[in-house]
Each structure stands twice: as C-alpha cells, then as structure tokens.
Amino acid sequence: MSIEKIIQFVQSSNYEQMNSTGAKIHLLRQVIGEYQSFLGLQRLEWTEHGVVGKFIANKYYDMKNPQLFDLLENHGVLSKVVRIKLKQLNETEKLLLQEFCTAGNEYLRFTPNRGIGGHNEEELSVYRKNVTNKNIYDLLDQWKHYKRIYSSFVEQWKSIRDLACEEMLRMEQHKVTLPVGSLSVVIPDPNIDADAAYKMGGGKMLQRSGKITMEQVRLYAARGYFSLSKVYELLHVQNIQTKYLLLTLTSERNMMEGRIQQNNRYSWINIQSEAAWEV
C-alpha cells in the first residue's frame, strides 16, 4: 500500500535526510548570497562550476485599483482576467454560484509527530561553523552536491505522497493517523466561473471578490483589446522585495528560454489579432 511507503520513507531516515539537506542548501545559498552582496554584483556566474547567483527585485502591485477594473470592464474582458476567491463571497453568492464551480486538485499533507524528521539543529550548527572556513568554490561544490541529493529525495517523496493521496481518495478517507504522524487530504477552494459571477453581480462583485491574473491581462493585451502600457500606468507599486537566486546555468537557460517562448507566443497572437482586426 502507498500509505505504508510513507511510513517506510520516514522510518528509514530518508525524511530526516531530506530535511537536513534542505536546511544545508538554504544555509549555503545564504552564505554565497552574502559573499556576492559584498562584491556588489547583481549577477555572478561561476562558469566552471555551472552555477549562477542573481539578485531579483520582485515588484508587488496594488491589484485592487478601481480604475484598473474599470479599464478591463470597459474593454469587455474583466471576467476573463479575474479569478474569483471563494472566501470573499457571502453565503448567498456561494450558494448561487455552486453549480458554476469546478473542483481544485486535492493534495496530501503530512504532519510528523513531534521530534520526527526535522533537521538536527546541533548538526546544522556544527556545519554552519564549518562553512565559514570554506572558500567560495568549496561552497559551490557543496551546494551542487546537496542540491542533487535533496532533489532526489523530494522527487521520491512527492511520488509517494501522490500515490497515497489517490489511495485515500479511492477509500474515501480524508485523514489517517500513522505511527510517525498523520496524513490529511487537502481540498483547495474550487475554481469559480467568473463569467457566471459577472452576470450575477457585475463588475462590483468581481472587484470585491476577484483577483486579477496578470498573465491573462497580457494575453488579452496581445490580442489587441487594450494597450498593456495603459494597464501599467494604473499599477501602483506597493512593495519591492529582493530575492537571491542560486541555480545552475542550465536552469537559468531553461527559464530564459521559457520567457522567450512566452514572449514569442504573445507576439504571434498580436500579429494574428492585428490581421483579424484589419479584415
């Protein structure tokens, strides 16, 4: 049974090793990031090691600007770019929209018993002192080493949890108590048809209960419904957070290729839309 494999994974110390290597990866990324910050470099590539470190500034916008909702509604796409949040609906609205809901994907949450599976703080403390005596190249090698181990554990753990989740759903069990902890099937909020919500409550309801999805906004801008620059004029920055990324050059290249493909897709959609408007 898949549930028994959960127990085996935890009791065999794999769960503890996964958490321990994860803690070491976090520590190494922090130390390497401090080294790069001291050099004052936003991006630093260690070509021979196949690793790159980069500081990324993430902007968080006020997505509740009424003018933004008005712009999207005036162009007839508001319900296409908004995701309805269930907790923002009142009980009457939830009832009326019940038939327009589709279930989200369930997932499994494992809660270990106290003292099981966490990283050894004493061991990590010793490792932290060890790290301070290492040069940057040793740190990079260790990061790559533990990253491979951690990824292998996480992939195995995810596979076991997914199978156990399917098993519990088949048996109509939503919670199971194990010798090592407990399993709970988490059912996320359903996806609500925003078109139905708009017909019921109009733009005001979507503004109160919805969240604008920027990917969809960019898609409809590419289709020629409105100018993306007009959208950004209405987006006010609420916060900027800097995040340090440490990744392999292969991962960075894959990320960049993904962005290029996405931009190419938007460009192609824009060209097709312009041709359609001209007909």
Side-chain angles (χ1 to χ4, degrees):
M1 292 176 64
S2 300
I3 294 176
E4 291 177 352
K5 290 182 179 180
I6 294 274
I7 300 173
Q8 292 170 6
F9 187 89
V10 176
Q11 290 182 333
S12 68
S13 81
N14 285 347
Y15 186 72
E16 182 178 346
Q17 289 183 58
M18 179 179 70
N19 290 328
S20 177
T21 53
K24 289 176 180 177
I25 289 170
H26 178 78
L27 175 61
L28 287 164
R29 183 174 64 244
Q30 180 183 353
V31 173
I32 294 169
E34 289 171 355
Y35 168 85
Q36 184 171 333
S37 178
F38 176 77
L39 296 178
L41 298 174
Q42 186 175 3
R43 183 183 184 279
L44 179 56
E45 181 178 315
W46 294 275
T47 309
E48 292 183 0
H49 290 73
V51 177
V52 60
K54 55 204 304 186
F55 289 96
I56 304 293
N58 292 321
K59 294 181 179 180
Y60 296 88
Y61 298 97
D62 174 17
M63 303 303 292
K64 283 294 186 180
N65 185 344
Q67 291 177 301
L68 178 58
F69 277 83
D70 289 343
L71 182 147
L72 297 171
E73 184 176 15
N74 291 339
H75 287 86
V77 300
L78 181 59
S79 63
K80 308 299 182 184
V81 302
V82 165
R83 179 180 173 84
I84 303 297
K85 301 175 75 172
L86 184 69
K87 63 182 180 181
Q88 299 297 332
L89 298 174
N90 60 44
E91 294 305 316
T92 301
E93 291 167 342
K94 289 177 184 177
L95 187 63
L96 291 172
L97 290 171
Q98 192 171 14
E99 63 178 298
F100 302 102
C101 296
T102 54
N105 295 323
E106 302 94 341
Y107 62 92
L108 196 65
R109 176 186 293 144
F110 171 66
T111 305
N113 289 337
R114 185 182 295 273
I116 290 182
H119 64 267
N120 188 310
E121 192 59 47
E122 185 178 343
E123 177 190 341
L124 188 63
S125 179
V126 172
Y127 184 73
R128 185 181 288 109
K129 292 177 182 177
N130 232 355
V131 161
T132 59
N133 298 322
K134 300 287 185 181
N135 64 49
I136 187 63
Y137 304 109
D138 288 336
L139 295 178
L140 291 167
D141 285 336
Q142 289 197 24
W143 178 81
K144 289 176 65 178
H145 170 71
Y146 285 120
K147 185 74 172 176
R148 283 193 294 269
I149 296 173
Y150 180 72
S151 297
S152 177
F153 278 132
V154 168
E155 185 177 348
Q156 185 182 354
W157 179 236
K158 182 180 182 304
S159 176
I160 294 172
R161 281 190 298 120
D162 288 346
L163 291 173
C165 186
E166 292 175 8
E167 183 177 313
M168 289 176 64
L169 288 170
R170 282 198 306 271
M171 298 170 64
E172 297 185 350
Q173 290 179 306
H174 285 82
K175 189 163 186 178
V176 175
T177 301
L178 308 176
V180 293
S182 63
L183 298 175
S184 304
V185 175
V186 179
I187 302 176
D189 288 341
N191 298 312
I192 302 171
D193 188 332
D195 285 329
Y198 183 74
K199 289 177 183 176
M200 188 176 81
K204 289 184 178 179
M205 179 179 177
L206 265 61
Q207 183 175 347
R208 172 172 53 83
S209 63
K211 180 180 180 181
I212 294 173
T213 305
M214 281 304 297
E215 184 177 348
Q216 287 296 103
V217 171
R218 285 191 286 268
L219 177 62
Y220 278 91
R223 288 175 176 171
Y225 282 83
F226 48 81
S227 167
L228 194 58
S229 62
K230 292 290 184 183
V231 171
Y232 279 103
E233 286 177 8
L234 299 174
L235 286 177
H236 306 303
V237 178
Q238 284 187 320
N239 189 20
I240 300 177
Q241 294 183 359
T242 301
K243 182 179 181 180
Y244 182 67
L245 298 181
L246 189 64
L247 60 164
T248 63
L249 288 172
T250 300
S251 296
E252 184 191 40
R253 183 167 60 250
N254 290 339
M255 288 173 60
M256 292 176 66
E257 287 177 355
R259 290 196 191 100
I260 291 171
Q261 289 177 7
Q262 187 181 54
N263 289 335
N264 288 342
R265 175 171 171 261
Y266 288 144
S267 296
W268 182 85
I269 291 172
N270 185 254
I271 292 171
Q272 296 297 313
S273 298
E274 287 181 354
W277 289 113
E278 291 174 358
V279 174

